[in-house]
Amino acid sequence: MALITDLSGKTAIITGSNSGIGLGVARELARAGADVVLNSYTDTEDDHALAKEIADEHGVTARYIQADLSKGDQARALIEQAGTCDILINNAGIQHVAPIEDFDTGKWDAIIAINMSSAFHTTAVALPMMRKAGWGRVINIASAHGLTASPYKSAYVSAKHGVVGMTKVVALETAKEPITANAICPGYVLTPLVEAQIPDTAKEYDMSEEEAIEKVILDRQPSKEFATVEQLGGTVAFLCSPAGDQITGTTISVDGGWTAL
Ligand code: NAD
């Protein structure tokens, strides 16, 4: 994909970025010239090697900062430790599926904390940094489940709807400043997590992998194609470009038509 913006001199913090969408977004922002801060709750050699790989590939500064975003104080410390933040991507997220009457309370609390409250804490610390720099982007990776619901995903759907609501509030509180806040709502994205589900789903439904993708996994995605982490990275880069200066307080769906149904 061609570059649509030059982000040299900007620092992007991407939560939950040692895999999947977060890593794809970090790679795309680094490709556009931004210095990047990667994060997850682990602190392994592989985590730090990822940052080094991105720095070497794109000639930017890339750091890995460990923080468990289920804890508000660690979410705040992540931004403080980074020291500067022009672009904040709230991406960390987990999932748990169960009928509401059986839904584990600990799992509910963890999903609300990681998928929603962490974005409140990081944004609260990042906004003053953006104001000081005179420019900023808050981009929350919500979900098609921030706009629609599915059974058995009470915590996830609640958290993602909450993130979409918080995005609008941040946009209004920064409306007169050169700062924007938006949510991206992906449908199914081909990440290692989703890829790993394909053989099991095919086995469970006694189908070929192609059939399982089309009829089960992408049942609600009319394009019958996964979105890719590169497309998510490109959508983030677009919001960071000058074309995004007046786009604020909205959602951008990258869902192959899911929410048009
Ligand atoms: P993933 O599991 O590959 O990535 C999730 C990231 O969050 C990982 O880096 C993980 O380490 C991190 N994380 C989890 N718990 C954390 C914690 N306590 N503290 C810090 N980091 C933590 O999954 P993904 O598919 O890349 O998902 C990324 C985001 O995109 C999530 O918010 C998810 O809800 C959203 N999303 C994904 C899809 C999809 O189809 N993959 C669709 C819609 C929305």
Side-chain angles (χ1 to χ4, degrees), residues 197-233:
Q197 291 169 20
I198 297 171
D200 290 346
T201 309
K203 219 175 184 180
E204 192 185 333
Y205 287 85
D206 195 21
M207 291 173 170
S208 69
E209 293 197 2
E210 291 71 30
E211 264 185 308
I213 290 170
E214 190 183 325
K215 296 192 174 138
V216 183
I217 299 177
L218 294 180
D219 179 39
R220 293 179 70 181
Q221 200 145 309
S223 67
K224 300 298 170 194
E225 279 187 35
F226 290 106
T228 65
V229 299
E230 289 79 11
Q231 289 162 353
L232 269 299

Side-chain angles (χ1 to χ4, degrees), residues 24-252:
V25 168
R27 287 190 196 284
E28 184 59 27
L29 292 177
R31 198 165 79 91
D35 294 328
V36 294
V37 175
L38 305 184
N39 152 265
S40 183
Y41 59 93
T42 52
D43 196 14
T44 66
E45 275 181 26
D46 285 352
D47 292 330
H48 292 274
L50 268 179
K52 187 173 179 322
E53 183 198 312
I54 290 176
D56 291 348
E57 189 176 348
H58 299 289
V60 298
T61 301
R63 287 176 286 163
Y64 179 87
I65 301 180
Q66 186 270 344
D68 178 355
L69 300 183
S70 65
K71 317 258 186 320
D73 56 346
Q74 292 196 30
R76 285 173 184 261
L78 164 65
I79 310 299
E80 278 155 11
Q81 204 180 321
T84 177
C85 181
D86 304 294
I87 300 166
L88 173 63
I89 313 292
N90 288 305
N91 166 78
I94 58 167
Q95 175 65 287
H96 179 69
V97 179
I100 200 157
E101 65 273 27
D102 300 330
F103 210 96
D104 180 82
T105 302
K107 293 259 169 46
W108 168 277
D109 289 343
I111 290 176
I112 298 298
I114 297 166
N115 296 20
M116 186 181 76
S117 302
S118 71
F120 158 69
H121 293 293
T122 55
T123 304
V125 182
L127 278 183
M129 295 177 176
M130 294 178 187
R131 289 192 171 116
K132 200 169 156 204
W135 186 91
R137 295 285 192 259
V138 178
I139 301 173
N140 297 322
I141 306 299
S143 166
H145 283 115
L147 303 168
T148 65
S150 295
Y152 315 125
K153 296 184 176 176
S154 53
Y156 189 83
V157 169
S158 301
K160 295 297 188 182
H161 274 69
V163 163
V164 168
M166 187 174 13
T167 305
K168 295 178 187 175
V169 173
V170 175
L172 292 179
E173 291 186 13
T174 57
K176 292 215 166 119
E177 303 170 84
I179 296 171
T180 66
N182 293 287
I184 295 176
C185 295
Y188 267 105
V189 184
L190 196 55
T191 61
L193 202 86
V194 173
E195 243 170 298
Q197 291 169 20
I198 297 171
D200 290 346
T201 309
K203 219 175 184 180
E204 192 185 333
Y205 287 85
D206 195 21
M207 291 173 170
S208 69
E209 293 197 2
E210 291 71 30
E211 264 185 308
I213 290 170
E214 190 183 325
K215 296 192 174 138
V216 183
I217 299 177
L218 294 180
D219 179 39
R220 293 179 70 181
Q221 200 145 309
S223 67
K224 300 298 170 194
E225 279 187 35
F226 290 106
T228 65
V229 299
E230 289 79 11
Q231 289 162 353
L232 269 299
T235 308
V236 166
F238 162 67
L239 286 171
C240 293
S241 77
D245 283 353
Q246 285 299 315
I247 301 175
T248 196
T250 194
T251 56
I252 297 189

